[in-house]
Amino acid sequence: MEFFLQTPAWAAVQRSLGRRVHEKSGPGWSFLAIEEKNPAGKVIYAPYGPVADSVEAFDAATAALVELAKAEHAVFVRMEPAAAGFTASDAGPLLRARGMRPAPVNQQPELSWVVDLDGDFKDVLAGMKPTNRNLYRNIHKKGVTFRASQDPADISVLLHFLHLTAARNGFKPQSDEYLTQVAASLLPSGAGTLFIAELEGEPIAAAFAYDSADTRVYAHAALDDTHRKLSAGIPLLVTLMADAKEKGLKHVDLWGVAPEDQPDHKWAGFTAFKKSFGGREVSYPGTWDLPVNKLRYGAYQLARKVRDKLR
């Protein structure tokens, strides 16, 4: 699986947002790293990176990240080595032995749910719950149609539904400005697609997907609660998968899920929804920090601990 957050398309998004991005590669390794600010100072962050085909290549990538951090006067490197020559179960001892420590929180999901698109699409459908298959096959009888868009102006459809969902469920979505800029960068280039469900020509649900060379990421989705009984979000996602299959992609990444042993996790509802499409759980090592300026990093960690205790 190629991670979208390590692609040139994501680098273009970050630059369009005014952020400095560094892309480097060597024998068996590469990384996209973004300059960020936090209370410690400057951070060099590689989302789901670096990418390496062996532990030796990972070490070379890490050395290059440290060199970059020193050149840019960053306090630490933050990384998420999701595909770096070792498994998530081996990551802890391996990363600690290299002076890394777990970040206070994971910036990207540590667990994801992936549907593989091998074989015929009927095989993908067979892995889903019968309800999902039946909705996909029969929703047109209720006047619901689906369309794919590469027009950045259509992001307004998704933003409208995200506002409704946020007001209903009491969460804060990503800003309109951010998603509008992401759409402006990804949609015209074909690296992103908006999928819209319509009832007699009126939008009732929308989903925004990002594409790497072999994987489609189900990134953002929301629907109009007025038509909730139609469950349009289910056939909309199946349509997104069918389109990915037609384009020759190998996987659909449904993004973060809750651990199985945490039924009260805030993502529990989303997780049940995602698992109803078949697929498999994928585990990543999580987010790790490698201090470069150890004194300032230590002060940052101490300040966090004090703040947490006061809370």
Side-chain angles (χ1 to χ4, degrees):
M1 266 174 54
E2 182 183 56
F3 292 95
F4 185 79
L5 300 186
Q6 285 291 312
T7 64
W10 191 243
V13 167
Q14 295 300 309
R15 291 188 176 108
S16 76
L17 292 165
R19 296 167 184 164
R20 284 192 73 200
V21 180
H22 303 271
E23 295 172 275
K24 295 195 174 184
S25 61
W29 63 268
S30 65
F31 67 72
L32 178 162
I34 305 157
E35 288 189 19
E36 295 190 345
K37 295 276 188 184
N38 87 349
K42 187 183 287 187
V43 180
I44 298 295
Y45 171 49
Y48 282 152
V51 176
D53 60 17
S54 68
V55 173
E56 292 74 22
F58 169 71
D59 286 338
T62 300
L65 280 164
V66 169
E67 184 181 340
L68 171 65
K70 288 178 177 176
E72 298 297 334
H73 306 290
V75 177
F76 62 96
V77 172
R78 177 160 282 174
M79 65 174 73
E80 292 160 336
F86 49 86
T87 65
S89 59
D90 294 333
L94 186 146
L95 296 175
R96 288 179 193 277
R98 286 157 174 76
M100 300 180 205
R101 56 194 73 182
V105 294
N106 287 319
Q107 288 200 223
Q108 306 299 332
E110 192 175 357
L111 293 174
S112 200
W113 194 260
V114 174
V115 177
D116 299 312
L117 302 176
D118 304 330
D120 192 88
F121 195 66
K122 67 183 180 184
D123 300 321
V124 179
L125 288 170
M128 300 180 187
K129 283 192 172 180
T131 304
N132 295 17
R133 287 197 300 274
N134 292 336
L135 274 167
Y136 173 66
R137 287 167 174 158
N138 298 310
I139 191 79
H140 65 279
K141 296 175 183 176
K142 297 181 179 179
V144 177
T145 57
F146 302 92
R147 66 182 177 93
S149 172
Q150 243 82 43
D151 182 356
D154 278 337
I155 193 66
S156 62
V157 175
L158 176 63
L159 295 177
H160 174 64
F161 293 142
L162 283 171
H163 291 164
L164 295 178
T165 304
R168 190 168 64 243
N169 297 333
F171 77 91
K172 187 178 179 181
Q174 287 171 305
S175 73
D176 287 8
E177 293 76 16
Y178 171 79
L179 286 174
T180 298
Q181 189 57 55
V182 172
S185 182
L186 294 183
L187 293 178
S189 70
T193 307
L194 269 167
F195 292 87
I196 300 170
E198 296 178 332
L199 177 63
E200 297 172 353
E202 286 297 315
I204 59 171
F208 192 1
Y210 306 162
D211 289 354
S212 68
D214 65 359
T215 302
R216 170 163 287 172
V217 178
Y218 178 63
H220 311 277
L223 52 79
D224 182 351
D225 199 49
T226 309
H227 302 288
R228 178 172 287 275
K229 287 184 178 179
L230 287 171
S231 299
I234 290 172
L236 180 66
L237 178 48
V238 182
T239 299
L240 178 154
M241 292 178 177
D243 181 79
K245 175 70 176 173
E246 285 177 21
K247 286 183 165 57
L249 300 176
K250 302 296 183 187
H251 318 278
V252 175
D253 186 347
L254 300 184
W255 212 238
V257 292
E260 215 167 87
D261 60 354
Q262 295 182 32
D264 298 325
H265 194 282
K266 62 180 180 179
W267 290 350
F270 297 130
T271 299
F273 172 76
K274 291 172 182 180
K275 289 185 176 182
S276 71
F277 293 87
R280 58 190 171 91
E281 186 178 270
V282 180
S283 180
Y284 303 128
T287 308
W288 291 74
D289 293 345
L290 179 57
V292 176
N293 182 328
K294 294 182 180 179
L295 194 63
R296 284 184 65 182
Y297 185 82
Y300 157 69
Q301 289 286 61
L302 183 61
R304 277 193 64 94
K305 286 176 183 174
V306 170
R307 188 192 67 190
D308 290 346
K309 279 184 179 177
L310 290 174
R311 282 179 176 173

